[in-house]
Amino acid sequence: MRVHAQRAGALLGGLMFPAVSLADWTLNMTPGVTGTSNEIFSLHMIILWICVAIGVVVFGVMFWSIFAHRKSQGYKPANFHENTLVEILWTIIPFVILVVMAIPATATLVDMYDTTESDVDIKVTGYQWKWQYEYIDEDFGYFSNLSTPRDQINNRQAKGKNYLLEVDNPLIIPVGKKVRFLVTANDVIHSWWVPAFGVKKDAIPGFINETWTRVDEPGTYRGQCTELCGKDHGFMPVVVKAVPQEEYDTWVAEQKVAAEKERELTQKDWTMAELMERGEKAYQTACAACHQADGSGAPPAFPALKGSKIAIEDMAAHIDIVVNGKSGTAMQAFGNQLSEVDLAAVITYERNAWGNNTGEMVTPKEIFDYKNEQ
Ligand SMILES: [Cu+2]
């Protein structure tokens, strides 16, 4: 009740003293930072003012007519049917208004759908519950996971400034360049949305939707998945960092070197301790959402891995379910989502953590061979 009273008070205050509270009480949409978002914003304003003008004229005439011709003034109601002139007017005027509104709206839509002549192409894939970004012309890609600590989510820690709007690896794009996004999904329908860009595109398995943006101001822009996609729908934010071209070029070069290093790591001889350390990290980012940090799962939906038959006995089945997933369940195929090193590490981790002390390890090479045999 008190909260409601406070909010009502704030609203009333806001209406009475707009200047004072405008800073944190904005009723209007925000114009965003791209050409498209600004076009959408001005379209919204034009249409809004057309509606306001129509409202003022229609209600003005109506209230004035009612008032000026009231019964106490001795007016007698007219009693006629069909007036061709009036009927033609009230058809033509709205028609003209609609056409006037459709012209700028169509121009904006045509512009939004024009994905030609892009400078950078990025494939965006929605997963339960993260985004994958692949730089098509550059031959590398990565996953972008929520980075808000579980302790904040579970109210064991105060919530941070960008609570649920922060990720480990943001999408990096150059400023002033046309960036084309090819949007799709791997499991269920998601939707990639960055309000400041005026970009929102459904990510549908089996389809590729295109959209684009050009950001002129360097900065960090945040958005969210905006299609109800399951349990952690609210936990797959979008973070885009627009950086100057030189910075972007350096970053791309680094990513390519890192991707090459990762491929080399597959051939290295790994020790148990190294795999366990890496496996724990990979497990916390990729698996803990369902199987929990301590491997206890959330049965019956998500099985426990601690003491699970697959995790302590059948090694082949263990590799198979992690690499290929299990169709028809939430257990997705991680074969393409994680590197060979991370796959080997996470499987080794599961076979030895939480008292699953099998002492067995899987090497990245074995995973590499396993994948190639398929
Ligand atoms: Cu989603």
Side-chain angles (χ1 to χ4, degrees):
M1 259 336 272
R2 267 201 48 206
V3 177
H4 289 299
Q6 275 170 7
R7 285 199 188 135
L11 178 59
L12 215 69
L15 292 173
M16 288 189 298
F17 309 102
V20 183
S21 48
L22 216 63
D24 40 349
W25 258 93
T26 35
L27 287 175
N28 206 353
M29 303 205 307
T30 52
V33 298
T34 62
T36 307
S37 69
N38 279 285
E39 271 178 54
I40 296 172
F41 181 76
S42 34
L43 201 57
H44 156 73
M45 293 313 293
I46 293 169
I47 309 261
L48 175 74
W49 288 121
I50 292 178
C51 292
V52 168
I54 294 173
V56 169
V57 170
V58 169
F59 283 107
V61 170
M62 194 179 99
F63 286 129
W64 175 80
S65 306
I66 294 171
F67 180 76
H69 306 104
R70 59 195 187 277
K71 200 173 176 185
S72 61
Q73 300 289 328
Y75 278 92
K76 289 243 146 41
N79 193 358
F80 63 86
H81 279 278
E82 286 164 24
N83 182 320
T84 317
L85 178 69
V86 170
E87 283 172 15
I88 289 176
L89 280 181
W90 79 36
T91 309
I92 288 183
I93 294 174
F95 178 75
V96 170
I97 295 174
L98 283 181
V99 170
V100 166
M101 297 204 285
I103 291 170
T106 311
T108 303
L109 275 177
V110 167
D111 190 38
M112 282 169 73
Y113 279 91
D114 176 17
T115 53
T116 58
E117 289 173 36
S118 58
D119 301 302
V120 178
D121 299 309
I122 299 171
K123 184 171 166 213
V124 177
T125 310
Y127 287 77
Q128 281 174 319
W129 288 280
K130 54 187 166 251
W131 295 99
Q132 183 187 25
Y133 301 121
E134 288 166 283
Y135 290 71
I136 294 171
D137 314 317
E138 311 287 356
D139 224 20
F140 73 84
Y142 54 89
F143 281 85
S144 183
N145 299 285
L146 176 75
S147 63
T148 301
R150 287 273 144 193
D151 279 350
Q152 287 188 16
I153 295 168
N154 297 332
N155 294 321
R156 281 193 291 265
Q157 222 182 62
K159 304 201 187 307
K161 179 164 154 279
N162 294 312
Y163 179 68
L164 296 187
L165 288 175
E166 51 200 341
V167 298
D168 52 359
N169 304 307
L171 176 67
I172 311 277
I173 59 171
V175 293
K177 287 287 162 69
K178 184 163 180 175
V179 182
R180 181 169 67 130
F181 301 110
L182 303 164
V183 183
T184 186
N186 190 53
D187 33 42
V188 300
I189 303 180
H190 302 268
S191 188
W192 197 79
W193 179 42
V194 183
F197 298 171
V199 167
K200 175 172 172 183
K201 206 73 186 168
D202 279 358
I204 306 172
F207 287 82
I208 293 191
N209 285 332
E210 284 182 80
T211 186
W212 68 277
T213 195
R214 180 185 286 116
V215 184
D216 291 320
E217 274 299 302
T220 302
Y221 304 99
R222 295 170 201 277
Q224 280 164 308
C225 173
T226 174
E227 183 69 55
L228 204 50
C229 61
K231 165 177 158 286
D232 279 6
H233 162 61
F235 299 74
M236 50 180 295
V238 174
V239 180
V240 183
K241 250 175 96 178
V243 299
Q245 183 71 43
E246 309 87 73
E247 200 179 315
Y248 176 76
D249 291 337
T250 320
W251 178 80
V252 167
E254 281 168 12
Q255 293 301 307
K256 283 175 150 172
V257 172
E260 187 50 42
K261 274 227 183 87
E262 187 72 26
R263 284 190 275 270
E264 279 167 20
L265 274 184
T266 308
Q267 300 304 323
K268 169 181 135 73
D269 284 323
W270 287 80
T271 66
M272 182 82 163
E274 286 170 335
L275 284 176
M276 285 298 283
E277 193 190 330
R278 190 156 171 143
E280 178 168 9
K281 266 195 215 119
Y283 180 85
Q284 296 305 344
T285 20
C287 324
C290 296
H291 295 292
Q292 304 305 310
D294 60 358
S296 61
F302 307 116
L305 299 178
K306 179 180 162 143
S308 132
K309 239 188 158 106
I310 292 186
I312 48 183
E313 289 176 18
D314 196 345
M315 168 79 95
H318 193 175
I319 297 179
D320 176 61
I321 197 169
V322 178
V323 172
N324 301 316
K326 183 152 176 190
S327 61
T329 76
M331 181 59 201
Q332 40 199 290
F334 284 93
N336 292 325
Q337 297 187 34
L338 299 178
S339 67
E340 279 80 29
V341 175
D342 280 334
L343 286 166
V346 88
I347 294 171
T348 303
Y349 178 71
E350 286 178 354
R351 298 188 82 75
N352 296 284
W354 327 298
N356 284 359
N357 300 320
T358 62
E360 294 166 344
M361 65 180 253
V362 189
T363 65
K365 255 185 279 182
E366 285 171 86
I367 299 289
F368 184 79
D369 295 340
Y370 175 81
K371 278 197 196 169
N372 284 344
E373 275 164 26
Q374 288 192 320

